[in-house]
Each structure stands twice: as structure tokens, then as C-alpha cells.
Amino acid sequence: MVRLHLHLLSDSTGETLENIAKAALAQYDDVETVRHFWPMVRTEAHLDRILQEIAQNPGLVIFTLVNPQTRRALESRCHALGLPMVAPLDPVNDALSGLLGQQAKARPGRQHVLDAAYFARVDAIQFTIAHDDGIAWEEWEEADIVLAGVSRSSKTPTSIYLANRGYKTANIPVVVESPPPPLLYQLKNPLVVGLTTSADRLIAIRRNRLLSLNQTPETDYVNQDAVAREIAFARRMFADNGWPVIDVTRRSIEETAAAIISLCNERRGGAVSPRD
């Protein structure tokens, strides 16, 4: 097991750095990572305090600092300490500058400007929370996406992820004994997507759910034959209505959401939405 100190310095929220670090670290096994997260680094005095801890816990420094003076100070000190450092956005900015013929604006956190897209995302999150698990089905026509699937098929977390990407998302559980509202089959605006999974995975997730609630794990909810019938019922519903189906058995929430967004783009004729 390798132990790595990872220092993430940003002059904004640091969300971009966290995602980059997470994606990169996922490619390595047997690494114990100690993350030191330093957001909103905008003064040399703040940087000096951070550098003291970096010196005490040497490791890889990854940064997004747009202020030239602060950046030079960090680079100089890291060089003196012999520490590796990476500015992951530099290649992207260099390529864009060459193509666009202009220099990047040295303004921290410009991606978080409170513009129309930001408020649309907030609206999408509010809509999605208010339309979870079949609630307020009368308003589904206002959704961008409606997810259908049996219980514990990742509908809610996928909906929340899509909402954070700006998509108003509703979801409904497919229950054999309780048919969905007829409106589900009449929707025009939203893309309806069916989520399915393997019976074994579904039973394992449901059993853990029951145990966490201190409930008996021996019910039809986790019975192999009953679960198989549920999944088959849902698949028939999806097929009868011509809805696209995504098997989430081996997909992460992010991968499932990416596939759904791709379906949305195809439905619009290949155009990529500004919220993407």
C-alpha cells in the first residue's frame, strides 16, 4: 500500500480539482490517499500558511490558480521543496487560446457565475426533489426526463445527478400490483427511460436495505422468483411503449446519467444542450 499526500489548491470552490483528482486516482490500486483540500486561495498570505503544511506533508500539488503572482509564488516554493506540481487546466486553456486568438480571463470561479444556466440548474434540482418516487405525477409533462424502474434500481440518485446537470427529472417505481398513472403513456415532452438490473444485484441491494432498517430479509421483496417477475413485468412495459432501456447492473450513477444524456441529445437531433 502506497501512501500519498495530495494537495489540491484552488482560487475558487475546488470542485473541478476534486473531480480531476477522483478520476485520476480511480486508475490506481493499493494507494492510500491523504487529501489536503485548499479552496478559495486568493492571497499570498493565505498561500504562505498552506505552504507550511505542504512542507510538513510533502506530496503531489495540483492547482488551479489564475492570479499570476500567487501562482508564481506557489511554483517557486514547490520547486524549492522539490515537490511535483500540476496545473491540469493549462493544456486546455493553451489550446483554446490558440484556436480563439485570445487570452483566458484571469478571473477565479467564472464557471460559477450566477447566470441563466445556474438558475435553470437550481430549478431542475427543485423540480426533481418534488417529483421523486411518483410524487406530483400530474406535472410530469414539465419534466425533461422521466425514469421508470422497479424499486432500488437507482432511480432517485440518477435523477438527482441529472438535476445537477440541469435536467428536470421525475421518477416512478414500477410495481406489479399498482399500475402507474395513465398519463405516463401519454407524455410528449419528457424522454421516458426504463432502468433495469439483474435479479441477483437487485436482491442484494434490497436485502442490505432491509437489514439497515432492522426488518426481516425474508419477504417477497427479496424472493428470487418474485423479483424476477418484477423485472420481467417492467421490461415488458418498456418494450410495449418503445422506451429506451438502460441496464444499470454494472454502471455507476455517472455512467447511467451519461447514457441518458446521450439519449436526450440524440432525441434533439444530435445537438448538445448548453447545460451539458
Side-chain angles (χ1 to χ4, degrees):
M1 179 72 71
V2 177
R3 184 179 175 86
L4 170 68
H5 285 278
L6 186 64
H7 297 274
L8 307 176
L9 285 77
S10 171
D11 47 22
S12 186
T13 63
E15 179 183 349
T16 300
L17 275 181
E18 284 197 297
N19 289 333
I20 291 172
K22 180 180 178 181
L25 287 169
Q27 305 300 317
Y28 300 92
D29 298 323
D30 301 323
V31 179
E32 179 188 357
T33 306
V34 181
R35 299 192 192 188
H36 304 266
F37 183 50
W38 312 105
M40 309 304 290
V41 182
R42 297 185 178 180
T43 67
E44 288 194 56
H46 188 187
L47 181 62
D48 286 341
R49 294 193 297 272
I50 294 170
L51 285 167
Q52 292 176 21
E53 182 156 342
I54 292 177
Q56 294 172 5
N57 300 283
L60 176 61
V61 177
I62 306 179
F63 65 93
T64 52
L65 301 176
V66 298
N67 182 281
Q69 189 172 348
T70 307
R71 174 172 174 151
R72 281 195 299 269
L74 174 64
E75 291 173 334
S76 175
R77 187 65 181 276
C78 285
H79 181 73
L81 293 170
L83 298 179
M85 54 187 169
V86 180
L89 294 185
D90 278 6
V92 179
N93 280 326
D94 289 344
L96 287 172
S97 292
L99 287 170
L100 300 175
Q102 56 178 289
Q103 293 297 313
K105 303 292 185 183
R107 301 176 191 171
R110 289 201 82 203
Q111 72 271 36
H112 300 293
V113 173
L114 301 183
D115 56 11
Y118 174 86
F119 289 107
R121 189 177 303 113
V122 172
D123 189 36
I125 293 171
Q126 292 175 339
F127 180 93
T128 299
I129 292 173
H131 295 80
D132 182 43
D133 205 33
I135 298 174
W137 56 266
E138 302 90 344
E139 300 170 352
W140 280 350
E141 192 62 43
E142 300 174 25
D144 298 308
I145 300 165
V146 174
L147 302 181
V150 297
S151 174
R152 316 312 295 179
S153 56
S154 303
K155 298 184 300 299
T156 295
T158 303
S159 296
I160 296 299
Y161 187 92
L162 288 166
N164 277 280
R165 294 292 301 272
Y167 294 86
K168 292 182 178 179
T169 308
N171 73 77
I172 180 172
V174 176
V175 182
V176 178
E177 300 81 5
S178 179
L183 176 67
L184 179 63
Y185 310 113
Q186 304 166 9
L187 296 173
K188 302 298 182 184
N189 177 63
L191 170 70
V192 181
V193 179
L195 301 183
T196 189
T197 185
S198 71
D200 289 341
R201 178 180 183 273
L202 191 58
I203 289 170
I205 292 173
R206 288 181 174 185
R207 195 177 295 278
N208 288 335
R209 174 65 173 169
L210 291 175
L211 289 172
S212 70
L213 297 173
N214 294 319
Q215 297 181 9
T216 176
E218 302 305 327
T219 68
D220 281 349
Y221 190 59
V222 292
N223 177 271
Q224 185 80 35
D225 292 337
V227 170
R229 285 194 296 272
E230 273 189 78
I231 294 174
F233 176 81
R235 282 185 173 275
R236 284 196 301 272
M237 177 188 291
F238 304 156
D240 290 346
N241 290 278
W243 299 333
V245 179
I246 296 176
D247 190 330
V248 303
T249 304
R250 294 181 176 83
R251 292 179 189 259
S252 65
I253 299 302
E254 294 85 352
E255 289 170 330
T256 300
I260 294 170
I261 291 172
S262 179
L263 289 171
C264 287
N265 290 335
E266 290 176 11
R267 193 182 189 215
R268 290 194 296 265
V272 178
S273 168
R275 56 191 155 195
D276 299 339

